[in-house]
Amino acid sequence: MDSRPPNRLLLLLLTSLLHFWQCARVQSLYIIDAVELTIEPGREVESGTPVTLRCQVSVSSEKEISLSLKNTFKFIQNGIPVYSNTTTKDTLLYELNPARAADSGGYECEVTVNDKTRSSTEEKLIITGLQTPTLLLNKSELFASEDFIATCSAPEEKGDLVFRFYQKFRTGDPQLIKQTAPTQNSTETKLVLRNVGDRHLYCDYELTITGSRRSNHSNEIQVIVKELYIVPVMNVLPSTNVYEGDLIEVVCKVVNPPSNIEVFLTKDKRILKNAPVSLSYRFRVQNEDSGDFVCKAVWGSVQKENVQTIRVRELFSKPHLSVNPIDIFEKEQFKLTCSVSIYFPERINNEQMQFSIYKDNVKLTSGHTYDAVAQPNKNGNYTCKAQAASLGHSFVKESQTVVVKGKVPASNPILSVVGGTLVLGKSFQLLCRCDSGTLPIKYTLHGPNRLPELSVVRKPGEQAIFNTSAIQKSSDINKFICHAKNNERQPPVVGSVKQLQLSTTIIEPVSKPILTIESNMVDIPEGQDVTLVCTVSRGTPPITFTWYHTETGRALDFQTSEKLKGTYIIYNVRGQHRGNYYCVSTNQANEPKQSRPIMIGVKMAGWKKGLIALLCILLTGALILCIILKKRLLRCKRKRTGELSVKSASNKVERLSLTQAEVNEAANVTPGMIGKSVWSEHVSGSESEDQNSVTSPENPEPQYTEVETRKADPNRAPVKKGTDTVYSEVRNSKQGVPEMADGGSVEYAQLNHDTDHHSDHGNHGNHSVQDDHIDEIDNSAVTSTADHGE
């Protein structure tokens, strides 16, 4: 295979990389040191002097890339670029040859080296003086008002120049003739001189680009202006004072005219005739031909004129067409009359007059009158013509146009209520209108308890609307009547009486409602349904009823009915339904009325009352039962003597503890009074004793026994009533026999009496008192049950 294509591709790639590398080195290995701008031969020179602007750039770079740098120079005047060029040289010249005033200003030089740019400082260049302009004319001898061409130029100047042209007489100051718009260094314009005589013309210009600077005067040219004798001659034959119908001739001509001259005959800016040099215009005059006739001679831009006034006398007036009556209504008779006034009867009389009447330019009759009945087909534009003869010549005059249009009589008026709805008791508006009738139409409203009221409709779109006070009965609407009239010669037309009532919706406001309860019950048992009935005595349906509960303050329900009442049902009455209720009624009159409130009470249901009675009976029975049980319990307590607490004891000395109540009770008990059964309980058996001795040698469990008490000795002092408890602590000996501290048995006795007042005194007795009374207890009554497990 041939390997050259890959070698070429590789060579191209290496060349591109080398190029990009060189560009990168060029961009990074140079710097613009300075840019200098100089103006030669100087910064201020005379106009026309050659000027050179020199721009030089200084660049620092590596030696191998200095030759590849390209410099783009740009010369800027007053911020606007005027010249640019790209070169590898470090200097560029910009020449102004010759320099003119427009070249004045501030100059800068901007140099771009590859992608770096730097500018010089601004240098001012001042060009003094302006070029003197040159004036040229296409003719120097001319007639007054003849136009000519003037040219003023300054070919070497630059910028926008404003040229001015002057005329200078032998005496007096120069006069400005014309000033042109800004243009380049030359202008050509058309000038006109109207005054006869000699004068000198010159021009100058003003440079506006660098401020107001005016040039010197141009050369002067003498101009001779001569009078042009082309004033036309004008004759009117036979005279300027004539009668209508006379034939006259107007002659207009120029004597010794120059070539290419024309004459024109005009009247009221209307050209009657024109011709070269001269003309003749003949015509039979009418009254409207009176006025000024102008004869003009025109040669180029020069015009001369002559004026003659012609006065035409009327033999008879212009015909006058009149109509009677002036206001014509359809189906009425009308008459048209054509008449004239004769001013010179010696030249014309009535017998010579002929009349004709026209409608829309169509002849109707040859007389001076026309009678007809007004109909739509008779409407149109009417005129008349009068023809007369004078000195063998006849002429015709036409009257003004009279428009005949029969008016349409007013139709029967229609009276209606504005909006179509009337609310009794409220003021309202009535509209009276006619379906047909020529405006203006006068409408008059008659009604009950009021004076007739007039309204005139003059323009389309207007309406006859009458403000009316309120009525209280529907029948009063039939008492309103409307009259319409647009023809003063005819009586007014009257509208239909029944039509107003048929076209009006009459609404009677609702009366004050009455709220009742259908069952006539004030206190409603719980669970029942209650119907509230809201009734009005009058009002136009539909009527809307709304019920309110004062406790909630919001509407409960509303109902729209075609009847005079509405109902609202409260289902399953509860306690929250009690309170005041009221209803509000309204209809299309939008006058809500509120009823007086009614009070609804809610009483308890029968089954609830029975249940409460049953509960009361049960509670009473339970209370009685409790009292009985309590009494039985008290008896039982009196029979009980107490419980004896027996505890295991060691060889320690026994201690007897008695409450104050027990001591007091003991004081009233003799040994022979104890006769009740005694319950005794003690710990028996060796197993129990062993357990007690092992588990609790120091704190043995107490044991109790019940003793019988004997009746108290009635001869002894009584004790306080109540239940006193006497506690005796009995401790077991090592042999398991309960012993007193002094060798006797220890007992626990509880005595019950009729009263229960014992608690406050049982804990305050001292041991000495207890010891004194404990001796009185029958020791024989204490039966130990330690050996019995039962």
Side-chain angles (χ1 to χ4, degrees), residues 182-231:
T183 183
Q184 297 300 318
N185 53 15
S186 178
T187 184
E188 181 179 285
T189 186
K190 185 182 290 186
L191 302 178
V192 176
L193 302 176
R194 303 186 184 283
N195 298 325
V196 177
D198 296 344
R199 79 256 352 245
H200 288 81
L201 269 64
Y202 68 88
C203 69
D204 65 8
Y205 64 89
E206 183 179 352
L207 180 65
T208 60
I209 193 170
T210 57
S212 179
R213 300 177 62 183
R214 182 168 292 186
S215 69
N216 296 327
H217 292 172
S218 69
N219 56 305
E220 296 185 357
I221 300 176
Q222 184 180 8
V223 176
I224 300 174
V225 180
K226 299 181 293 183
E227 181 67 38
L228 178 61
Y229 297 98
I230 58 171
V231 177

Side-chain angles (χ1 to χ4, degrees), residues 647-759:
K647 295 183 180 180
S648 301
S650 61
N651 292 329
K652 295 179 181 180
V653 180
E654 292 183 342
R655 180 175 57 87
L656 177 64
S657 296
L658 297 176
T659 64
Q660 184 65 38
E662 293 169 346
V663 172
N664 294 335
E665 181 68 22
N668 295 324
V669 178
T670 59
M673 295 173 64
I674 302 173
K676 300 289 183 179
S677 61
V678 178
W679 291 83
S680 61
E681 181 179 353
H682 65 279
V683 178
S684 62
S686 61
E687 180 179 357
S688 175
E689 292 175 355
D690 293 340
Q691 291 176 354
N692 292 333
S693 63
V694 175
T695 60
S696 182
E698 297 180 357
N699 295 316
E701 289 292 332
Q703 296 184 2
Y704 301 93
T705 182
E706 186 174 291
V707 298
E708 264 186 330
T709 60
R710 294 180 184 156
K711 293 183 180 180
D713 188 358
N715 295 322
R716 299 188 62 176
V719 297
K720 187 180 179 182
K721 293 183 180 181
T723 303
D724 296 331
T725 304
V726 179
Y727 295 90
S728 297
E729 185 176 11
V730 181
R731 301 183 183 274
N732 291 326
S733 64
K734 294 181 180 181
Q735 290 79 17
V737 179
E739 297 178 352
M740 297 288 290
D742 56 356
S745 299
V746 181
E747 67 177 4
Y748 166 82
Q750 184 175 3
L751 303 178
N752 293 327
H753 297 278
D754 293 337
T755 60
D756 297 332
H757 303 286
H758 63 279
S759 60

Side-chain angles (χ1 to χ4, degrees), residues 397-446:
K397 290 185 178 182
E398 187 174 6
S399 70
Q400 83 285 2
T401 300
V402 175
V403 178
V404 175
K405 185 176 182 181
K407 295 183 178 181
V408 179
S411 62
N412 291 332
I414 300 173
L415 190 61
S416 61
V417 175
V418 176
T421 301
L422 184 150
V423 179
L424 296 180
K426 282 188 176 181
S427 59
F428 58 98
Q429 290 182 321
L430 288 175
L431 170 64
C432 191
R433 62 181 178 85
C434 293
D435 289 337
S436 61
T438 302
L439 300 179
I441 300 177
K442 297 178 181 179
Y443 295 94
T444 305
L445 180 67
H446 301 266

Side-chain angles (χ1 to χ4, degrees), residues 245 284 286 387-396:
R284 196 170 294 276
Q286 301 291 335
Q387 183 177 3
S390 175
L391 301 179
H393 174 71
S394 65
F395 52 93
V396 178

Side-chain angles (χ1 to χ4, degrees), residues 444-491:
T444 305
L445 180 67
H446 301 266
N449 302 323
R450 60 177 294 154
L451 296 175
E453 185 177 353
L454 177 65
S455 177
V456 181
V457 175
R458 293 183 172 86
K459 298 178 181 179
E462 291 183 354
Q463 292 180 326
I465 297 178
F466 302 91
N467 294 321
T468 308
S469 58
I471 61 175
Q472 304 301 326
K473 296 184 296 183
S474 301
S475 59
D476 290 343
I477 196 69
N478 297 325
K479 298 179 182 180
F480 289 94
I481 300 175
C482 179
H483 293 176
K485 184 177 182 179
N486 65 345
N487 187 352
E488 296 298 331
R489 298 182 298 274
Q490 299 293 331

Side-chain angles (χ1 to χ4, degrees), residues 522-541:
V522 178
D523 293 332
I524 311 300
E526 285 184 323
Q528 289 190 5
D529 297 340
V530 178
T531 301
L532 300 179
V533 181
C534 190
T535 308
V536 294
S537 60
R538 63 182 180 275
T540 302

Side-chain angles (χ1 to χ4, degrees), residues 477-685:
I477 196 69
N478 297 325
K479 298 179 182 180
F480 289 94
I481 300 175
C482 179
H483 293 176
K485 184 177 182 179
N486 65 345
N487 187 352
E488 296 298 331
R489 298 182 298 274
Q490 299 293 331
V493 290
V494 183
S496 174
V497 177
K498 295 183 179 181
Q499 190 272 338
L500 175 60
Q501 186 175 13
L502 295 176
S503 63
T504 304
T505 300
I506 301 177
I507 297 177
E508 183 179 11
V510 295
S511 61
K512 185 174 182 179
I514 299 174
L515 183 62
T516 58
I517 302 175
E518 192 174 60
S519 60
N520 293 325
M521 296 177 62
V522 178
D523 293 332
I524 311 300
E526 285 184 323
Q528 289 190 5
D529 297 340
V530 178
T531 301
L532 300 179
V533 181
C534 190
T535 308
V536 294
S537 60
R538 63 182 180 275
T540 302
I543 301 174
T544 300
F545 298 94
T546 307
W547 290 266
Y548 294 87
H549 187 197
T550 57
E551 303 300 327
T552 61
R554 57 183 179 84
L556 300 175
D557 192 15
F558 70 91
Q559 180 183 21
T560 301
S561 175
E562 294 293 333
K563 299 180 181 180
L564 297 180
K565 71 175 182 178
T567 58
Y568 170 66
I569 302 175
I570 304 176
Y571 295 97
N572 196 12
V573 172
R574 290 289 180 266
Q576 63 268 23
H577 293 138
R578 64 170 51 93
N580 290 322
Y581 290 80
Y582 66 92
C583 70
V584 176
S585 62
T586 185
N587 61 357
Q588 298 180 35
N590 197 21
E591 294 181 3
K593 301 290 179 61
Q594 179 177 328
S595 70
R596 291 184 178 180
I598 63 171
M599 178 70 179
I600 293 181
V602 180
K603 63 184 179 180
M604 190 177 299
W607 65 271
K608 286 187 177 181
K609 292 182 179 180
L611 181 60
I612 293 174
L614 179 60
L615 291 176
C616 291
I617 293 172
L618 293 177
L619 290 175
T620 303
L623 181 59
I624 294 173
L625 182 60
C626 290
I627 293 173
I628 294 172
L629 293 176
K630 185 175 182 181
K631 288 182 178 181
R632 293 179 63 87
L633 183 61
L634 290 176
R635 292 194 192 100
C636 293
K637 286 183 177 181
R638 292 189 187 101
K639 293 178 181 180
R640 297 174 60 187
T641 58
E643 296 178 357
L644 181 63
S645 175
V646 181
K647 295 183 180 180
S648 301
S650 61
N651 292 329
K652 295 179 181 180
V653 180
E654 292 183 342
R655 180 175 57 87
L656 177 64
S657 296
L658 297 176
T659 64
Q660 184 65 38
E662 293 169 346
V663 172
N664 294 335
E665 181 68 22
N668 295 324
V669 178
T670 59
M673 295 173 64
I674 302 173
K676 300 289 183 179
S677 61
V678 178
W679 291 83
S680 61
E681 181 179 353
H682 65 279
V683 178
S684 62

